[in-house]
Amino acid sequence: MADTRFATLGRPRHVWAIGAIHAQPDPLDAIHHAIAERFQPGDRLVYLGNMIGHGERVLDTIDRLLVFRRALLSRRGMLASDIVYLRGAQEEMWQKLLQLHFAPDPRHVLDWMLRQGVGPTLAAYGGTPDAGMAAARGGTVMLGRWTRGLRQAVQARPGHEALFNALRRAAYTGGADGGDADADGNGGGGPDDARLLLVSAGIDPARPLTGQGDAFWWGGNGFARLDAPYGAFQRLVRGFDPARRGLAVGAHTITLDGGCGFGGPLVCARLDSAGEPLELLQA
């Protein structure tokens, strides 16, 4: 059975991969416009996580993602599975914040999340740090009411809850027949089976794909050290570098982080199914 934590892209014509957006809808609009002009049947679109966080225009960003999704799906031959959203650190924190009433030390957790950039997302859905801290001091019942209000605010925005529920940990292309390898990259092996793995921020090279856990959104150091293929994956692509070293294209890795949300551009790459970069867009 397929592992629903991961998105299998088959053998696409092209993969369009968009780096960390950090709630910046204007450059996202420009990238969407460029993709719309070039998108072909058989292409896939993957957002590499950190779509929210840091930037203040969270609601606008999610709405633009949904509008563009509808526009692409209206094209002949498109499937819902052709568009993938990965979980980044910001989406992971937001999901954990909605479950803050289960945390053993909620005030400490909330304080840490705020320092990592979750504040604008909290504000976008009607919450404030002061109210959160007060609820945390008030105990589990009071904190549960506060998080329930946030969940209801997400549900009140059409499509937002569905998008957050659709987040995947990673995405990868298959072999020549579109599906001859498993989620850990086993199988295939010929020159036509070179495969592409897309993640948000990194991986731990010592672990199999299904054992990565939160390394996908926090494991930037392991990704930066890769100097050889990872299993059957000849190319690994990420959308965010926690060290913020910028756009980088190496022999086996690509980082599509131009610093969007921190004064830099949003970066998108058009890749072939093995991960070779064909075009880089910035906005």
Side-chain angles (χ1 to χ4, degrees):
M1 296 179 63
D3 190 332
T4 57
R5 296 174 299 173
F6 303 96
T8 305
L9 304 177
R11 192 72 172 179
R13 180 191 297 268
H14 303 121
V15 176
W16 295 88
I18 300 180
I21 302 166
H22 287 136
Q24 302 294 317
D26 292 337
L28 179 61
D29 279 347
I31 292 294
H32 279 166
H33 180 74
I35 292 174
E37 292 183 332
R38 298 166 172 82
F39 202 86
Q40 302 177 45
D43 285 3
R44 310 285 189 269
L45 173 60
V46 181
Y47 297 90
L48 300 174
N50 290 304
M51 296 165 284
I52 58 175
H54 292 290
E56 296 181 354
R57 298 177 65 187
V58 172
L59 302 183
D60 284 346
T61 299
I62 298 296
D63 287 342
R64 307 289 175 84
L65 293 172
L66 295 169
V67 167
F68 192 60
R69 174 184 173 83
R70 289 194 292 270
L72 282 186
L73 290 180
S74 70
R75 298 187 180 191
R76 185 173 182 178
M78 283 291 294
L79 301 174
S81 58
D82 293 338
I83 304 171
V84 175
Y85 307 93
L86 298 189
R87 180 186 302 271
Q90 293 299 323
E91 291 79 24
E92 172 69 4
M93 285 191 294
W94 178 241
Q95 294 299 305
K96 288 293 189 285
L97 191 150
L98 296 178
Q99 302 170 18
L100 192 62
H101 49 288
F102 294 123
D105 188 352
R107 284 183 292 175
H108 175 77
V109 172
L110 178 57
D111 179 68
W112 180 84
M113 288 180 175
L114 292 168
R115 287 186 278 111
Q116 301 303 315
V118 81
T121 305
L122 175 60
Y125 291 107
T128 67
D130 288 345
M133 288 297 182
R137 289 192 297 270
T140 303
V141 173
M142 186 173 178
L143 188 55
R145 290 197 200 100
W146 184 72
T147 57
R148 184 168 61 251
L150 295 175
R151 290 194 299 274
Q152 290 171 343
V154 174
Q155 294 163 0
R157 301 288 304 193
H160 287 218
E161 183 180 35
L163 189 149
F164 287 129
N165 288 338
L167 297 175
R168 297 292 179 259
R169 295 186 173 210
Y172 54 82
T173 59
D177 66 357
D180 60 355
D182 63 24
D184 280 322
N186 301 312
D192 293 331
D193 294 322
R195 304 178 68 221
L196 165 66
L197 174 66
L198 302 109
V199 301
S200 178
I203 63 165
D204 179 349
R207 298 181 184 177
L209 194 66
T210 50
Q212 290 293 317
D214 61 5
F216 287 126
W217 36 88
W218 299 117
N221 290 334
F223 187 97
R225 294 195 304 268
L226 280 170
D227 58 2
Y230 172 67
F233 299 109
Q234 296 294 315
R235 177 79 73 173
L236 285 78
V237 177
R238 67 174 173 178
F240 178 62
D241 177 7
R244 299 183 192 171
R245 287 164 291 202
L247 175 67
V249 178
H252 298 284
T253 61
I254 300 176
T255 297
L256 300 176
D257 184 3
C260 190
F262 301 95
L266 178 60
V267 179
C268 171
R270 180 169 66 95
L271 312 161
D272 68 17
S273 61
E276 289 301 313
L278 305 174
E279 184 177 10
L280 288 174
L281 308 175
Q282 298 188 42

